[in-house]
Amino acid sequence: MEQTIERIKSTQLQERVIDADVAASWIQDGMTLGLSGFTRAGDAKAVPLALIKRAETESFKVNVFTGASLGSDIDKLFAEAGIVNKRLPFQADPVMRRKINEGEMLFVDHHLSQTAEWIKAGVIEPIDFAIIEALSITEDGLIIPTTSVGNSALFVQYAKNVIVEINTAQPALFEGIHDVYDTGKQGDRPPIPLTEVDDRIGVPGIPVDLEKIRGIVFTEQKDSPSTIVPSDEETEIMAGHLLEFLRSEVRAGRLTKKLAPLQSGIGSVANSVLQGLIDSEFEDLEVYSEVLQDAVFDLIDAGKVRVASSSSITLSQQKMEQVYSNFEKYRDKIILRPQEISNHPEVIRRLGLISINTALEFDIYGNVNSTHVSGTKMMNGIGGSGDFARNARLSIFVTKSIAKGGKISSVVPFATHIDHTEHDVDIVVTEQGYADLRGLAPRERAALIIENCVHPMYKEQMRAYYAEALTRGGQTPHVLEKAFSWHAKLAQTGTML
């Protein structure tokens, strides 16, 4: 009871403590769930696992809405149990990916900032239960989140019922770092009053109508660590190219050594590129992103980052242990916000971000595919990259020039699926070099990308394609019957060469 009183300040809520199996029994076939969680951080754990257990003896399907990907193998186990009808807006699990591509479940891939707009407008399924991980619930009705905010505040506001999972394994020092702000509905909202990265414009928790809280479940389970792999030679070279570009912007007077607020997408490549800033001359940096990975805390440790704002914290096992056991060191430098704010086009454009995201492939005109392998097979989803790419001061996409030991070129004649058009892409970077595409016509872009970014294994092949395309004419020359020939050859022979 002492733990309950400490974590649940409202006496009327203390009587609503239940176990996860009871909470899971309330979920009925056809319902829509809003689960907390953003990039394996702050995700609901106990009730989803109880649902999976229940599926062993009962057949049902639910729609699953989240902030982004979930940890604790929840998406994997949901997929294996066959209980998901529709999933949005992002996932990153191989088993769920296979089920999506086999057509066994529906997946709605869209910009992470837009989930809020759809729910507020009532254009997608209404949420029956919000299941939210928390540190505690205050006496005046604030749910204090843990390692992410994501869409949690939105789900709580619009759900018919709320289940709170109080996770005693999460660091108590997280209380006070959150900044929850509600934009209101479109057509009836003021400007978002956020003009500096470290502005606080909301409240330190998620407001909730106490009557909506059906039950409270106590858990003690840490977040799943991130799956980031260490830097390698290619990513370190890419980081060097990116630093070379940033230095050129400083020399041109467009940036200073403070650069501009930085955003880096989830993943090993983008994380490794940020690592390159540690030993650079750049300092007093600001981060305004959707997720804080290992590299951001390494930059804080190196005295490079002044403040970092995001929607979640996603760390490797080693970095998680280091940071969370000494969080007082980082606490005054970190702000966690709803993804509606971290990814909001208005704020991104106002702050003038430098945005660094990862591409699966890009083509000779700068169109970027970040979601579909060979144009048809979903990987993870667009996530927040589109929110940032279209609205950032500098929209940068990075990828290794080849994959699968050279069987695949990541720079292709024509991207098989386009998530970010050439109009939203400023700079592309591979370990071969970078291409600054700003102010360039399509023919100028193609020549620069081929010479600077394509791997030597594929350079002559690409030059030959482009030379033939030029004979066809056009603002954006292509040989239409051969534009996807590299991908067709990969499917037939196992290599694009």
Side-chain angles (χ1 to χ4, degrees):
M1 185 62 182
E2 182 178 344
Q3 185 184 74
T4 304
I5 294 171
E6 178 186 341
R7 297 280 183 158
I8 307 172
K9 298 296 195 300
S10 171
T11 54
Q12 71 180 94
L13 293 180
Q14 291 169 6
E15 299 174 354
R16 300 183 202 174
V17 176
I18 55 171
D19 65 36
D21 290 335
V22 171
S25 72
W26 298 336
I27 311 301
Q28 302 302 311
D29 181 54
M31 282 187 171
T32 296
L33 311 180
L35 304 184
S36 69
F38 192 104
T39 59
R40 301 168 67 87
D43 45 282
K45 302 170 176 68
V47 178
L49 289 171
L51 270 177
I52 293 159
K53 178 183 174 184
R54 181 178 148 206
E56 295 174 1
T57 58
E58 187 177 344
S59 177
F60 63 92
K61 284 187 180 291
V62 292
N63 299 319
V64 178
F65 299 171
T66 64
S69 57
L70 300 175
S72 305
D73 283 336
I74 298 296
D75 274 334
K76 172 179 180 289
L77 297 170
F78 270 177
E80 289 175 341
I83 63 175
V84 178
N85 172 55
K86 181 183 291 183
R87 179 78 169 84
L88 67 82
F90 188 87
Q91 58 76 44
D93 178 77
V95 175
M96 181 167 280
R97 181 184 305 141
R98 176 169 55 82
K99 297 284 188 178
I100 290 167
N101 288 320
E102 291 173 352
E104 293 186 26
M105 73 173 66
L106 301 172
F107 179 61
V108 181
D109 181 31
H110 69 134
H111 302 299
L112 294 188
S113 68
Q114 289 185 342
T115 310
E117 305 294 9
W118 285 1
I119 290 175
K120 290 178 180 182
V123 299
I124 55 177
E125 292 85 350
I127 297 171
D128 295 289
F129 276 90
I131 308 174
I132 307 298
E133 180 173 276
L135 286 173
S136 61
I137 306 173
T138 67
E139 191 171 0
D140 55 349
L142 286 181
I143 297 173
I144 305 300
T146 58
T147 48
S148 72
V149 181
N151 278 322
S152 296
L154 175 82
F155 294 156
V156 167
Q157 182 179 359
Y158 285 88
K160 300 170 188 174
N161 305 279
V162 176
I163 298 169
V164 180
E165 291 191 5
I166 294 181
N167 190 344
T168 57
Q170 295 283 30
L173 282 173
F174 269 79
E175 184 165 358
I177 70 169
H178 309 92
D179 186 52
V180 180
Y181 177 85
D182 178 17
T183 65
K185 293 185 178 181
Q186 285 184 319
D188 186 28
R189 62 171 59 146
I192 298 171
L194 201 161
T195 59
E196 301 289 343
V197 171
D198 54 358
D199 282 347
R200 288 182 174 272
I201 60 174
V203 294
I206 299 170
V208 60
D209 177 354
L210 298 184
E211 295 304 314
K212 288 172 66 170
I213 297 181
R214 280 279 298 274
I216 300 170
V217 176
F218 273 83
T219 67
E220 188 175 3
Q221 182 178 340
K222 294 179 180 178
D223 286 340
S224 299
S226 73
T227 54
I228 292 170
V229 298
S231 299
D232 57 24
E233 183 178 0
E234 284 89 3
T235 55
E236 289 175 2
I237 292 171
M238 289 162 63
H241 292 318
L242 182 54
L243 289 172
E244 178 186 344
F245 165 72
L246 294 174
R247 288 176 180 125
S248 72
E249 291 294 287
V250 173
R251 289 194 297 271
R254 291 187 284 266
L255 292 173
T256 69
K257 287 187 178 181
K258 292 176 62 174
L259 298 178
L262 297 166
Q263 178 266 329
S264 175
I266 191 72
S268 302
V269 175
N271 187 73
S272 298
V273 169
L274 270 191
Q275 291 275 3
L277 290 167
I278 292 174
D279 295 320
S280 73
E281 69 275 26
F282 301 110
E283 57 189 6
D284 200 25
L285 303 174
E286 298 177 338
V287 175
Y288 190 88
S289 194
E290 60 188 359
V291 59
L292 303 183
Q293 300 184 90
D294 285 22
V296 173
F297 289 89
D298 291 337
L299 285 164
I300 292 174
D301 289 339
K304 293 286 188 177
V305 166
R306 185 183 69 81
V307 62
S309 168
S310 76
S311 196
S312 76
I313 299 174
T314 303
L315 303 174
S316 65
Q317 185 67 52
Q318 182 179 359
K319 183 59 69 172
M320 191 186 301
E321 292 171 1
Q322 176 209 321
V323 169
Y324 292 173
S325 64
N326 191 28
F327 197 68
E328 192 66 51
K329 174 182 177 181
Y330 306 97
R331 195 170 181 275
D332 64 347
K333 297 181 184 297
I334 304 296
I335 303 171
L336 294 186
R337 310 181 191 275
Q339 67 197 72
E340 182 182 8
I341 302 299
S342 67
N343 291 43
H344 203 290
E346 174 191 335
V347 178
I348 294 167
R349 182 66 64 91
R350 179 184 297 130
L351 294 180
L353 303 192
I354 298 172
S355 175
I356 307 166
N357 288 287
T358 305
L360 278 179
E361 66 179 6
F362 60 85
D363 66 30
I364 57 176
Y365 297 109
N367 299 294
V368 171
N369 172 13
S370 62
T371 59
H372 285 72
V373 176
S374 291
T376 62
K377 293 183 174 61
M378 170 61 66
M379 275 293 287
N380 301 332
I382 194 171
S385 56
D387 295 324
F388 292 98
R390 176 154 289 187
N391 299 288
R393 173 198 308 240
L394 291 170
S395 173
I396 303 168
F397 281 91
V398 298
T399 186
K400 295 183 179 182
S401 64
I402 55 173
K404 302 295 183 184
K407 293 179 180 179
I408 297 172
S409 174
S410 301
V411 190
V412 293
F414 203 168
T416 51
H417 179 94
I418 296 175
D419 296 289
H420 316 282
T421 74
E422 61 187 282
H423 313 294
D424 300 332
V425 180
D426 295 324
I427 296 96
V428 288
V429 185
T430 71
E431 81 285 356
Q432 300 301 316
Y434 74 86
D436 182 352
L437 307 178
R438 294 173 296 173
L440 300 186
R443 294 180 185 223
E444 294 175 297
R445 286 171 165 241
L448 191 62
I449 287 174
I450 292 170
E451 294 311 310
N452 288 9
C453 300
V454 176
H455 194 280
M457 295 170 63
Y458 287 93
K459 193 162 285 190
E460 287 306 316
Q461 191 172 321
M462 189 71 85
R463 286 171 177 156
Y465 172 84
Y466 184 55
E468 184 176 355
L470 286 172
T471 67
R472 304 290 182 94
Q475 161 75 356
T476 306
H478 268 302
V479 185
L480 291 181
E481 66 273 23
K482 295 181 179 179
F484 297 132
S485 61
W486 293 28
H487 299 87
K489 187 174 183 181
L490 174 66
Q492 293 164 3
T493 69
T495 178
M496 289 183 174
L497 281 170

